[in-house]
């Protein structure tokens, strides 16, 4: 039985952050996450398998929110 995952959109900042953490794990710590270039972040988000947003829909605000949620996700996993 396949596990259905609902599509992820630009406003799903937390879901995107979880996917980024799943992909990169502890390769990126808090400092590194905040230094990620938005061009790289955008590429990685668009590579998420069930992500349905487009590059054109991306905004700096979304990318900033994703970055901060990714930091929270990383911190949560450091316990």
């Amino acid at each position: 039985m396949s596990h259905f995952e609902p599509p992820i959109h630009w406003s799903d900042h937390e879901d995107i952050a979880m996917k980024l953490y799943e992909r990169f794990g502890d390769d990126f710590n808090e400092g590194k996450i905040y230094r990620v270039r938005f061009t790289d972040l955008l590429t990685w988000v668009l590579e998420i398998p069930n992500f349905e947003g487009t590059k054109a829909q991306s905004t700096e605000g979304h990318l900033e929110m994703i970055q901060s949620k990714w930091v929270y996700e990383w911190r949560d996993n450091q316990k």
Side-chain angles (χ1 to χ4, degrees):
M1 191 170 118
S2 69
H3 175 67
F4 174 75
E5 289 201 35
I8 296 175
H9 301 280
W10 278 113
S11 55
D12 301 326
H13 304 130
E14 226 160 284
D15 293 331
I16 293 169
M18 277 191 259
K19 293 291 182 191
L20 291 170
Y21 184 76
E22 280 171 23
R23 176 174 175 180
F24 295 105
D26 294 329
D27 292 350
F28 284 85
N29 61 20
E30 186 170 338
K32 267 186 161 176
I33 293 168
Y34 279 126
R35 286 195 302 275
V36 167
R37 292 197 313 255
F38 279 174
T39 49
D40 291 337
L41 187 57
L42 177 60
T43 300
W44 298 336
V45 171
L46 294 171
E47 287 170 357
I48 293 171
N50 52 333
F51 184 75
E52 290 202 348
T54 64
K55 189 174 185 173
Q57 294 166 327
S58 159
T59 65
E60 201 169 296
H62 281 311
L63 294 170
E64 286 170 357
M65 284 299 295
I66 291 163
Q67 226 171 11
S68 61
K69 295 286 185 192
W70 185 4
V71 166
Y72 291 132
E73 190 62 27
W74 177 81
R75 282 186 196 153
D76 281 351
N77 284 280
Q78 300 312 303
K79 294 173 182 152

